[in-house]
């Protein structure tokens, strides 16, 4: 896309409004709507906004910032018409400061910088995500409840799976927006679903994830449901993850593939895995960024708890899917869909590149079910655990200079501050469980 093709399409498709989109450091999508009268000014990168109003951006005395649209992200929204009078389109934007320099606090910029580092080493990263979500009923006031719309489980069919119609509409909407959907199905927990879309370059995938979350919630609302990407909304059932299938390419060759090796994996792939494992505890602060994230990362619900890798079993952090050739890849299983995808992909790539640059030795693959190992066996195999809570994860991030570098000083400092406040707010509250356990006992 270029400026002229966007202007032409806006006219031909009767687009009346354009949403200029970006995320704050927590991954929450923000948007400024303009009319087509302002489009040319926006495409020239001349529209300003108040950055001090956005979580983790800048102070009020340095608030003037510019939105510079990425032309390749232009998209007409299928639900964007207003009373059938014209359509709405969107553009995802990069953020520039008042000196017309890229803003270091933009999560998209953080990912772009690590991708540039990878390009300097001859690599490009491709990612295929598997985001999961729950569908809940709304109450009489239109507010979300915790009442699921079905009691189905893995791959169930209607009438047990009562979410199929909504899920099908989500898939069709995404396809109309250019997504290539690979699979859609009911997940393990009641009311839980998964929609997988095809791998693409890392920046496009991050853009697609934030778009995906908006589409799923918008379509769910049309069906009288609330879609949530909260990692663990219900006790006693599986939480929602977002497994990431990752590969590196050099030109058109998948450098994770090596037909001459006994397992079909290249040494570069194993260096990458070693880097991810080395930095996994700090990475979790970004890929599992909420208090609630760690309610999912517990034994018994197929979510990874232990820092290891495997060719087959699904208990470790990293799994190697069986396909080889152009499809050779690693699957990182701890991220959840509440994470900021720009930052999540940035820190994973940075860790993998650290493994490649320093030729880190990957530990032996673990093919036993780690959940069934006792502590002594795990220690014997040097298997560490992911952090048990957000506070511990932030502490690990504060010790890891490589992952801090991926974020940049601006994002790192503000992210840590926001998450420490979140933890303090959580830990100082009194919850129903405590009342049930202690009120009459003591």
């Amino acid at each position: 896309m270029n400026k002229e093709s966007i202007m032409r399409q806006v006219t031909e498709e009767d687009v009346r409004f354009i949403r200029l989109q970006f995320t704050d450091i927590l991954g929450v999508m923000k948007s400024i709507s303009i009319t087509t009268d302002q489009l040319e000014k926006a495409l020239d990168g001349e529209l300003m906004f108040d950055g001090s109003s956005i979580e983790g951006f800048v102070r009020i005395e340095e608030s003037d910032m510019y939105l510079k649209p990425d032309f390749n992200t232009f998209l007409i929204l299928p639900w964007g018409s207003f009373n059938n009078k014209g359509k709405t389109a969107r553009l995802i934007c990069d953020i520039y400061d008042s000196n017309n320099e890229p803003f270091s606090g933009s999560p998209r910029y953080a990912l772009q910088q690590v991708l540039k580092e990878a390009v300097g080493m001859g690599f490009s990263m491709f990612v295929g995500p598997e985001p999961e979500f729950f569908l809940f009923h709304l109450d009489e006031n239109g507010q979300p409840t915790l009442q699921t719309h079905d009691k189905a489980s893995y791959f169930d069919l209607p009438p047990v799976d009562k979410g199929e119609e909504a899920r099908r509409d989500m898939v069709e909407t995404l396809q109309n927006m250019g997504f290539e959907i690979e699979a859609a199905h009911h997940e393990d927990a009641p009311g839980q679903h998964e929609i997988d879309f095809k791998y693409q370059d890392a920046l496009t995938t991050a853009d697609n994830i934030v778009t995906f979350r908006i589409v799923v919630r918008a379509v769910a609302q049309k069906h009288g449901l609330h879609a949530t990407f909260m990692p663990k909304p219900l006790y006693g059932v599986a939480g929602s993850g977002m497994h990431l299938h990752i590969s590196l390419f050099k030109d058109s060759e998948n450098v994770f593939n090596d037909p001459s090796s006994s397992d079909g994996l290249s040494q570069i792939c194993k260096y990458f895995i070693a880097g991810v494992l080395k930095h996994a505890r700090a990475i979790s602060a970004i890929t599992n960024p909420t208090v609630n994230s760690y309610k999912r990362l517990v034994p018994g619900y197929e979510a990874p708890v232990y820092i290891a890798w495997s060719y087959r079993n699904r208990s470790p952090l990293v799994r190697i899917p069986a396909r080889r050739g152009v499809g050779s890849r690693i699957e990182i299983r701890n991220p959840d869909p509440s994470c900021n995808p720009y930052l999540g992909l940035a820190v994973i790539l940075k860790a993998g590149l650290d493994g490649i640059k320093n030729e880190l030795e990957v530990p032996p693959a673990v093919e036993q079910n780690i959940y069934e190992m006792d502590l002594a066996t795990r220690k014997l195999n040097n298997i560490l655990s992911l952090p048990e809570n957000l506070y511990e994860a932030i502490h690990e991030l504060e010790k890891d200079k490589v992952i801090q570098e991926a974020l940049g000083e601006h994002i790192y400092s503000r992210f840590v501050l926001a998450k420490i406040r979140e933890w303090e707010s959580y830990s100082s509250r009194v919850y129903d469980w405590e009342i049930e356990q202690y009120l009459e006992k003591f």
Side-chain angles (χ1 to χ4, degrees):
M1 299 291 288
N2 55 41
K3 178 180 175 180
E4 291 71 27
S5 62
I6 291 174
M7 297 289 289
R8 182 172 60 253
Q9 193 169 348
V10 163
T11 301
E12 292 173 352
E13 297 288 341
D14 191 27
V15 174
R16 302 288 182 88
F17 293 91
I18 295 93
R19 294 178 182 170
L20 305 177
Q21 298 178 338
F22 57 97
T23 71
D24 64 15
I25 64 168
L26 303 181
V28 177
M29 179 65 83
K30 305 294 181 179
S31 176
I32 296 174
S33 292
I34 62 171
T35 64
T36 52
D37 294 339
Q38 299 294 310
L39 178 58
E40 186 167 8
K41 183 178 179 181
L43 295 176
D44 289 336
E46 297 175 358
L47 278 186
M48 300 187 75
F49 75 102
D50 179 7
S52 66
S53 301
I54 305 300
E55 176 74 46
F57 270 25
V58 293
R59 299 168 298 179
I60 194 166
E61 63 267 25
E62 50 191 18
S63 61
D64 289 340
M65 313 201 81
Y66 290 94
L67 293 170
K68 298 206 173 186
D70 182 336
F71 294 169
N72 291 323
T73 65
F74 177 78
L75 194 63
I76 296 176
L77 302 176
W79 64 83
S81 60
F82 180 72
N83 291 336
N84 296 318
K85 295 180 180 178
K87 299 176 183 177
T88 299
R90 79 91 197 266
L91 283 158
I92 294 177
C93 299
D94 293 314
I95 311 298
Y96 281 68
D97 62 22
S98 57
N99 297 316
N100 210 27
E101 295 292 331
F103 174 48
S104 62
S106 166
R108 201 169 191 263
Y109 175 75
L111 176 57
Q112 289 167 330
Q113 291 303 104
V114 184
L115 290 172
K116 284 182 182 177
E117 181 181 347
V119 169
M121 297 171 64
F123 304 125
S124 56
M125 182 167 79
F126 285 77
V127 183
E130 296 181 348
E132 298 170 346
F133 56 93
F134 279 84
L135 293 177
F136 292 119
H137 283 296
L138 302 174
D139 65 17
E140 62 275 9
N141 298 315
Q143 297 301 307
T145 70
L146 288 178
Q147 181 184 355
T148 62
H149 65 298
D150 65 34
K151 297 187 181 301
S153 188
Y154 272 127
F155 310 128
D156 277 340
L157 298 170
V160 180
D161 174 10
K162 291 183 170 63
E164 187 192 43
E165 185 177 346
R167 194 174 63 239
R168 184 178 65 242
D169 284 355
M170 293 169 187
V171 168
E172 290 176 350
T173 302
L174 289 163
Q175 288 176 324
N176 290 337
M177 297 172 71
F179 282 68
E180 185 174 341
I181 303 300
E182 293 193 328
H185 59 85
H186 200 286
E187 257 295 330
D188 179 51
Q192 188 183 34
H193 302 266
E194 177 177 312
I195 299 175
D196 307 332
F197 44 96
K198 185 174 180 176
Y199 74 91
Q200 289 186 272
D201 67 275
L203 185 62
T204 300
T205 295
D207 289 340
N208 284 343
I209 291 170
V210 294
T211 301
F212 174 86
R213 295 192 296 213
I214 293 173
V215 172
V216 166
R217 300 187 77 168
V219 174
Q221 196 170 41
K222 289 186 176 182
H223 285 263
L225 299 167
H226 175 72
T228 180
F229 293 96
M230 180 180 177
K232 187 82 168 186
L234 297 175
Y235 171 73
V237 300
S240 291
M242 186 173 67
H243 301 170
L244 298 173
H245 293 252
I246 293 174
S247 54
L248 291 187
F249 278 71
K250 196 166 192 174
D251 299 323
S252 59
E253 296 294 321
N254 185 336
V255 298
F256 280 2
N257 182 58
D258 183 0
S260 66
S261 69
S262 59
D263 58 7
L265 299 180
S266 69
Q267 190 60 57
I268 287 177
C269 179
K270 292 177 180 178
Y271 290 151
F272 193 99
I273 294 170
V276 169
L277 298 182
K278 175 184 176 183
H279 298 284
R281 287 176 60 82
I283 287 172
S284 66
I286 307 300
T287 56
N288 307 91
T290 70
V291 165
N292 184 253
S293 296
Y294 296 86
K295 306 294 179 71
R296 167 181 167 255
L297 299 177
V298 294
Y301 297 100
E302 297 190 13
V305 178
Y306 303 110
I307 301 172
W309 71 289
S310 169
Y311 292 102
R312 290 183 295 276
N313 91 72
R314 295 171 186 264
S315 60
L317 178 72
V318 177
R319 186 181 75 92
I320 310 299
R323 189 181 174 192
R324 294 293 183 267
V326 71
S328 293
R329 63 193 187 276
I330 67 172
E331 178 189 9
I332 302 179
R333 298 174 56 80
N334 68 307
D336 69 55
S338 71
C339 85
N340 184 327
Y342 300 106
L343 299 184
L345 295 183
V347 296
I348 289 171
L349 177 56
K350 185 74 172 181
L353 295 180
D354 182 58
I356 294 171
K357 285 189 288 189
N358 293 292
E359 298 186 353
L360 300 179
E361 184 177 353
V362 70
V366 179
E367 301 306 336
Q368 310 98 288
N369 187 338
I370 306 178
Y371 297 134
E372 296 178 355
M373 290 183 182
D374 57 27
L375 179 60
T377 305
R378 292 200 304 273
K379 284 186 174 181
L380 188 64
N381 287 275
N382 296 313
I383 300 173
L384 300 177
S385 300
L386 290 172
E388 293 186 3
N389 54 54
L390 179 62
Y391 181 81
E392 188 179 338
I394 292 299
H395 183 62
E396 292 295 328
L397 177 59
E398 290 175 326
K399 297 189 297 184
D400 196 315
K401 299 301 181 184
V402 170
I403 302 305
Q404 291 175 28
E405 185 180 332
L407 301 173
E409 175 56 33
H410 186 108
I411 292 176
Y412 164 68
S413 60
R414 284 158 176 79
F415 183 88
V416 168
L417 178 61
K419 291 302 165 179
I420 290 295
R421 286 174 176 169
E422 180 178 335
W423 175 257
E424 290 174 345
S425 175
Y426 165 75
S427 58
S428 63
R429 300 284 180 93
V430 178
Y431 297 94
D432 290 345
W433 183 90
E434 296 168 271
I435 299 299
E436 293 170 3
Q437 292 290 317
Y438 306 133
L439 185 63
E440 295 183 5
K441 185 181 295 185
F442 298 104

